[in-house]
Structure formats: C-alpha cells, structure tokens
Amino acid sequence: MALLFGLFFLFLIMGMPVAFCMMCSAVLYCTVFGESINMVLTRTIAGPSSFTLMALAFFILAGNIMNNGGVTDQIFGFCKKAVGWIPGGLGHANVLASVIFAGMSGAAVADAGGLGAIEVKAMRDDGYDDEFAVAVTGASSIIGPIIPPSIPVVVYAVAASVSVGKLLIGGLIPGLVLALCMMVYIYFVSKKRHYPKHEFEGFPALGRSFVKSLPALLTPCIILGGILTGVCTPTEASAVAVGYALILSLVSRNLSLKDLPRILDETILTTMSVLFIVGCANGFGYIITIAQLPQKMIALFSNFITNRYTALLLINLFLLVVGMLMESLSALTLLTPILVPIAMSYGIDPIHFGIVMILNLMIGMLTPPVGMVLFVLSRMTPTPFEKICKAMVPFLGMCIIALIIIALVPPLVTFLPSVMMG
C-alpha cells in the first residue's frame, strides 16, 4: 500500500492528471508484485459500463441546455421578487436561485457558470461590493451537488453500492440547511453594511412572476416526482429532464436547433472526462480490494478509536484536506471504497455518510489550490483571485457549521428516504 499510494502522490506532484495517476500506479503495482494487469484493465473498462452512470450524461446535458436556453434568467427573476424585500435581498435571491437550479443541474460548476454571471452583475448594479457578490455566488453554487439531482451523488452511489434514489432524496434537507446557514450570514452582513433591499411588489406581482417561471420551476418536481412515485428510475428521470429542458428552451425561442451540436459537444467532453476518472478509479479500486486495505483500515481504526463521533470527526478533517488538494469527483471515486466500510463499522448509515462526504468535498471547491468554483468565478468576473478567496472565508465558516449540524444529526439525511422509499 505504501508503494501504491506513494506512486500515486508522486505522479500527482509531477502534475499528471488524477485519472492517469491512479492507472499508472495500479499498473506499476501489478508489475512489482506480479498481480494481473489484465484484471486492472478489465475493471477500468467495466467501470463506466453502468446503467446508473448514464444519468451523469443526461444531468450534464440538461444543465447545459438550461444554461443556454435562458431558463436561469427566469429563475433569478422569480427569486428576486420572492425574497428581494429582505435585507440583503439579492444575496438571498442568489442563494434561492441556486437551490432551485440545484434541482436541475446537480453540478456546482454549472451553477457558478450558468447563474453566476447573471447574479454577480445584478448584485453589482444594485450596490453590493464585488467581492461579496462573487463570494455569495460561489458559496451558493455548492448547494447544487447536495440537492437532487446530483452528479456526485450518482458517482458515490455506484462506488458504495447504495440506492441512488435514497441518496438523492437524502440530500434535500441538508441542502436547505446549507442554504439557511448562508442566508443567516447574508442577512446580518447586509444589515451591518446597509446593503439595499427592494420593496415587496405584492402577491399579484409575485404570482405573475411565478406563473411566468413555472415551467422552469417544474423541472425538479418532474425529476423527483418520477423517482418517488416509481414511474422511472433516476437514470430514466434524467433522460426525461433532458427532453423537458429541450422543449422548454425551444418553445421559449432562447435556443435553436443550431445550438445543439455545440451543447452536445460540451456535454460529451464533460461526460467522458468524468467517466474516464470513474473507470481508472475502478481499476485502482481493484488493487485496493485485493490488498484488503479497507479491512486493514477498519482494524487500525477500531484498535485506536472506539467512539463513532471521534471517528467521524477524523474522517471529516481528512476529507476537508483532501477536498482542498484533489478534484471532488476524483476524490469521491478513489476514497469511497475505503471510507464507507470504516464508517459502517462504527454504525454510520452509508446514506448519511454519503451526503457528509460529498459536502466535505464540495467545500473543497471553494478553497485553493484546486477550488474549481474559484477559478470559474475569477475567469467570469474582474475580481482578483486573492480577493475572491478572502471574501469566501466567512462563507466557508457557514458551510462548516452546516456540515457539523448534518454530521451530528443523521435524521436530517435519513428521515425523508425512510419515509418516502422505505
């Protein structure tokens, strides 16, 4: 194991992509210890060959269609009328829009890239500091992978062999807890800095905005409704979401058929990069399995740590550090087979642990040096990268508070799946 992970981190330090780090270290391990390289390659090829993983492509495609089809404008317009009258109104609208968009794309980068430009411009024009506007936009984007549908949830479910449907539903309340923590901070900062708020235009105006944006707002209901009623699997629901998003964007004339080749091209590139990581992680996981690393880790933990909360604290600290240093999906595919057996040995529900693990890694998207959301925001706005990082610190604190609450109160994750799916 020292050789396997030593090679992995050596290749990582050399600047090799994470997927190639996993594959090369696995092949070299087989060469040194006489294990079957063919089995590693077979597992790598078989990794992406999962019906469940088809949902990844469809969720990515649905998010791309909505980003290009003007759906995000309608969502933000409705959120502005709904919560714009609260102190820090556009900040709250920013978070609420991310909650709604989370039910469509399931990816933090899609949220930051799609809604981000609209939200930052609106807040800047309304008198908010650039750094604060960008920080709110970036922090709220990580709600996307928690609230269903979620690309990281699908990856974790496959790696941990747990129900995708239960895991998707389990992220709903934690996502709202995360949003609430951010909105509390936005409220007090806005009161202190005297950020503007808008007059409430009345329920008739809110109703008209709701009706106008209703087709877009129905997308999460269609996805979740299909899964909960048993009409379709999560994979089939993702395909339905693509069809609905396409109809919505074409009818509104914000998208033309000429745009589809470009959107499909973007989707294919993104999907293939994710599936390649999944495949290489599957080959790497084969080596971990034959070396019995999970069993050895469980034995090591049980010898020194008897309290489940201490174990959960150490795992959380470890994941926060990993999230700062590794891309989230790569870390998820690599660590899930190792950490889930450890968590289960302490009686931690794998559904609960999955949401905790994903939130840990999503927080890493807001921290340098690998924080993807930070780089998206720095390219999208004129705000210097250093100022974005500084403004993000208080939001990181609120995210960690939400993480602690979710980690210590398992029913926040497990209640809805147990009631709705048995």
Side-chain angles (χ1 to χ4, degrees):
M1 285 299 96
L3 175 66
L4 180 66
F5 283 95
L7 288 170
F8 174 81
F9 286 110
L10 175 63
F11 292 140
L12 200 63
I13 292 169
M14 291 168 59
M16 188 181 290
V18 174
F20 288 102
C21 292
M22 290 188 281
M23 175 55 63
C24 292
S25 55
V27 169
L28 286 174
Y29 177 94
C30 291
T31 303
V32 172
F33 290 102
E35 299 292 346
S36 172
I37 295 177
N38 286 338
M39 278 303 299
V40 172
L41 298 177
T42 300
R43 291 294 185 94
T44 301
I45 294 169
S49 304
S50 165
F51 178 73
T52 304
L53 286 176
M54 287 177 63
L56 289 177
F58 287 122
F59 282 141
I60 292 169
L61 179 56
N64 285 341
I65 290 172
M66 290 176 189
N67 272 338
N68 288 274
V71 175
T72 49
D73 294 332
Q74 298 175 24
I75 294 171
F76 188 67
F78 167 71
C79 293
K80 183 177 177 180
K81 291 186 182 298
V83 296
W85 52 274
I86 305 172
L90 284 190
H92 298 297
N94 194 327
V95 175
L96 181 58
S98 292
V99 169
I100 296 171
F101 192 68
M104 303 178 192
S105 73
V109 174
D111 187 325
L115 280 167
I118 302 166
E119 293 167 335
V120 171
K121 183 179 184 304
M123 292 182 71
R124 185 186 294 122
D125 292 346
D126 217 37
Y128 290 81
D129 296 333
D130 284 3
E131 293 86 352
F132 184 75
V134 173
V136 173
T137 301
S140 64
S141 71
I142 69 167
I143 298 171
I146 308 300
I147 291 180
S150 166
I151 292 169
V153 159
V154 175
V155 173
Y156 172 88
V158 171
S161 299
V162 297
S163 167
V164 180
K166 286 186 178 181
L167 202 58
L168 286 171
I169 302 304
L172 188 57
I173 295 177
L176 296 176
V177 170
L178 182 59
L180 182 62
C181 288
M182 292 181 189
M183 293 176 81
V184 168
Y185 174 73
I186 291 168
Y187 176 84
F188 286 107
V189 169
S190 299
K191 292 278 285 186
K192 181 180 178 180
R193 299 182 185 178
H194 304 291
Y195 285 141
K197 62 178 181 178
H198 296 262
E199 292 295 326
F200 182 57
E201 298 180 20
F203 288 104
L206 180 61
R208 287 191 296 271
S209 178
F210 176 76
V211 171
K212 182 180 178 182
S213 57
L214 182 60
L217 298 176
L218 281 176
T219 309
C221 300
I222 292 171
I223 295 171
L224 291 180
I227 296 171
L228 292 176
T229 57
V231 172
C232 53
T233 65
T235 302
E236 292 163 346
S238 66
V240 171
V242 169
Y244 183 74
L246 188 57
I247 293 170
L248 200 64
S249 299
L250 291 174
V251 169
S252 65
R253 296 184 179 180
N254 289 316
L255 189 74
S256 69
L257 293 175
K258 293 180 180 179
D259 297 318
L260 290 182
R262 175 178 54 81
I263 293 172
L264 288 171
D265 187 50
E266 292 173 4
T267 302
I268 290 169
L269 289 174
T270 305
T271 303
M272 292 310 299
S273 64
V274 172
L275 291 181
F276 185 65
I277 291 170
V278 170
C280 291
N282 207 47
F284 192 83
Y286 168 73
I287 302 297
I288 289 173
T289 302
I290 63 174
Q292 297 185 326
L293 179 61
Q295 293 88 334
K296 292 174 183 176
M297 292 291 290
I298 290 170
L300 182 65
F301 260 70
S302 59
N303 286 337
F304 295 98
I305 302 168
T306 56
N307 185 282
R308 64 182 293 184
Y309 294 107
T310 304
L312 192 57
L313 173 63
L314 291 176
I315 292 172
N316 274 303
L317 291 174
F318 171 69
L319 287 172
L320 284 172
V321 174
V322 168
M324 294 172 63
L325 302 174
M326 284 184 69
E327 192 273 327
S328 57
L329 290 180
S330 302
L332 202 59
T333 51
L334 176 65
L335 296 175
T336 297
I338 301 172
L339 296 180
V340 169
I342 296 173
M344 292 178 67
S345 72
Y346 286 94
I348 300 170
D349 187 283
I351 301 295
H352 173 230
F353 182 73
I355 298 300
V356 171
M357 184 175 183
I358 290 167
L359 179 53
N360 267 291
L361 296 175
M362 290 306 107
I363 292 173
M365 298 189 75
L366 303 178
T367 59
V370 189
M372 286 298 297
V373 168
L374 297 178
F375 290 109
V376 170
L377 292 171
S378 65
R379 286 198 303 267
M380 191 177 63
T381 67
T383 309
F385 183 81
E386 296 77 14
K387 290 188 176 181
I388 295 175
C389 293
K390 184 178 178 181
M392 196 67 74
V393 171
F395 286 97
L396 288 172
M398 301 312 294
C399 290
I400 291 173
I401 289 172
L403 173 63
I404 293 170
I405 294 170
I406 294 162
L408 294 179
V409 188
L412 290 174
V413 177
T414 58
F415 175 71
L416 285 183
S418 63
V419 170
M420 296 181 174
M421 304 189 73

